[in-house]
Every structure is written in structure tokens, then in C-alpha cells.
Amino acid sequence: DGGITQSPKYLFRKEGQNVTLSCEQNLNHDAMYWYRQDPGQGLRLIYYSQIVNDFQKGDIAEGYSVSREKKESFPLTVTSAQKNPTAFYLCASRAGKGGHTEAFFGQGTRLTVV
Amino acid sequence: GQSLEQPSEVTAVEGAIVQINCTYQTSGFYGLSWYQQHDGGAPTFLSYNALDGLEETGRFSSFLSRSDSYGYLLLQELQMKDSASYFCAVRDMDSNYQLIWGAGTKLIIKP
């Protein structure tokens, strides 16, 4: 079955530690996205990539980094520079770059700083 | 700037009809989407409107008026499983066709 997979589902980070969230899709989608969702809020775009080896900053990129070495994979690293990383992180993908196509989401990773 | 406004919470009774409104302000409007998200889950796509008018998909319908920068999601024959948050999102040409998201409307359904 085609889909988009995020791991882990829950992640705990100590102060000053970098952590990496995994996102893999087998939908052959060109574009992939990382969003952050805080309680009672909408989705805010962190980074997106429309093609392998290229990515763009979203609205809240500070303290995060990404890579897109393979079409299927778009990992997100939450660095120690992100001062308030506790949130629900959602990865999405869609076919094409422009126009409208439906976005498919992974089940999310809930990150907590301990 | 770019913004979307939708009510934070709506309450309805099982079997009834409910309308969730969304007004938007964007520079490069391309289309309006609606997504459903159950607590702790992933958003799932419901509908998309690029042109004015009503789009119907089963119990759900979505409406768009580009001249009023306004749309709504209509849910009919409400079921308890429809309890979720509903997000409107605008696809914006001036932002590389990214989705600009509203804050979401929590739909509470009472028996």
C-alpha cells in the first residue's frame, strides 16, 4: 500500500540535544513538507522540498534543518537552537509542484522536551 | 498579509446540519481546501474549490465565493465520528503554491 510514514510516533529530547524525525513516502511524490502544529493551532510550514537535493525555508525554519537526498525521504532535524521544540510534527507529500493536488500526511511525531 | 479566519469551535447535534465558515486574505489565491483532523491524528483531505459554487461529496459539501473571499464546509446528517477539527487552507500562487492554513474549527457533536 502506498503511503507516507513518520517515525518515531513519540520522541523525547533533552535540553541541548539534536533529534531527527524520519519521513518516508512511497507515493512517488515530488513535493514534501514539514509542518509544526501546536495545541489548538493550525499548521505552520517549517521546510519544503519540490525536488531532490533542493529545499526551501517555510515560515518557521529557524532551529530546524532538512535534507532531500532521495525522492522518498525528507528527514527533519530539530537542533538545540530551537528554543521551544515541544509540538506535534507532521510530514506531508503531494504530486507535482504547482497547481493543486491533494496533500497526504503521515501520522505525526509528538516531540517533548524533558 | 495572508490570513484565514474560521470559528474556533462549533457545536451541533447528531443528525443535524452544520456549516463551518472560512474567510481568507491572500495575495495569490489559487484554491480553497478543507481537511479533517481527529485528535492526535493526521489531517485528511476533504474537498477543494477553485471556482465559485458548491462541490458535493456525499454528506460533505464545500462552497466558494472568490469575490467575497469566503468559503464554507457543510456537513449533513452529522454522525458522532464527525467530531474532529476542520481546517480550511488556501493554495497561494505567490508562495510557490504552498498551503496557508487556518487555525481550525473544533466540531463538537452531541447525541
Side-chain angles (χ1 to χ4, degrees):
Chain A
D1 285 333
I4 182 164
T5 303
Q6 290 185 241
S7 63
K9 188 171 183 180
Y10 298 97
L11 186 58
F12 297 90
R13 191 194 95 168
K14 294 182 180 178
E15 296 276 355
Q17 197 177 44
N18 292 357
V19 290
T20 298
L21 284 59
S22 170
C23 179
E24 303 277 333
Q25 54 99 359
N26 60 4
L27 299 167
N28 199 33
H29 285 172
D30 294 311
M32 297 187 74
Y33 306 83
W34 274 106
Y35 293 96
R36 171 180 171 141
Q37 187 176 33
D38 292 286
Q41 303 294 316
L43 279 64
R44 293 187 290 168
L45 183 63
I46 304 172
Y47 269 98
Y48 66 99
S49 168
Q50 294 181 311
I51 195 170
V52 174
N53 291 323
D54 187 50
F55 48 83
Q56 307 294 329
K57 292 182 179 180
D59 299 321
I60 56 165
E62 185 174 351
Y64 300 97
S65 66
V66 293
S67 62
R68 187 88 186 274
E69 297 176 1
K70 299 186 300 181
K71 189 175 186 178
E72 303 80 18
S73 179
F74 191 42
L76 174 75
T77 297
V78 184
T79 75
S80 56
Q82 171 50 241
K83 297 307 178 189
N84 184 25
T86 295
F88 189 47
Y89 291 86
L90 286 160
C91 179
S93 71
R94 71 182 186 108
K97 305 166 191 174
H100 168 75
T101 51
E102 175 185 344
F104 291 82
F105 285 83
Q107 290 301 309
T109 294
R110 193 166 298 278
L111 174 63
T112 304
V113 173
V114 296
Chain B
Q2 300 169 339
S3 65
L4 286 85
E5 296 287 333
Q6 51 181 132
S8 59
E9 189 175 290
V10 170
T11 301
V13 177
E14 191 176 14
I17 299 172
V18 72
Q19 179 174 311
I20 299 174
N21 298 320
C22 175
T23 58
Y24 60 85
Q25 182 178 356
T26 60
S27 57
F29 178 84
Y30 189 82
L32 181 69
S33 299
W34 289 92
Y35 284 77
Q36 179 192 61
Q37 185 182 31
H38 287 97
D39 280 348
T44 55
F45 174 78
L46 291 177
S47 69
Y48 175 73
N49 296 69
L51 302 176
D52 291 351
L54 191 68
E55 295 281 342
E56 298 181 68
T57 309
R59 295 187 296 114
F60 293 3
S61 303
S62 57
F63 172 83
L64 175 65
S65 169
R66 289 174 298 170
S67 60
D68 296 322
S69 298
Y70 164 75
Y72 66 71
L73 180 70
L74 190 74
L75 296 82
Q76 303 182 70
E77 301 172 16
L78 285 172
Q79 301 174 11
M80 296 304 293
K81 68 177 182 179
D82 297 329
S83 295
S85 291
Y86 293 84
F87 293 86
C88 59
V90 165
R91 196 163 292 285
D92 182 41
M93 288 187 291
D94 292 348
S95 302
N96 244 344
Y97 293 92
Q98 303 317 309
L99 282 172
I100 312 296
W101 293 79
T105 298
K106 186 175 180 65
L107 175 60
I108 299 169
I109 300 174
K110 298 184 175 180

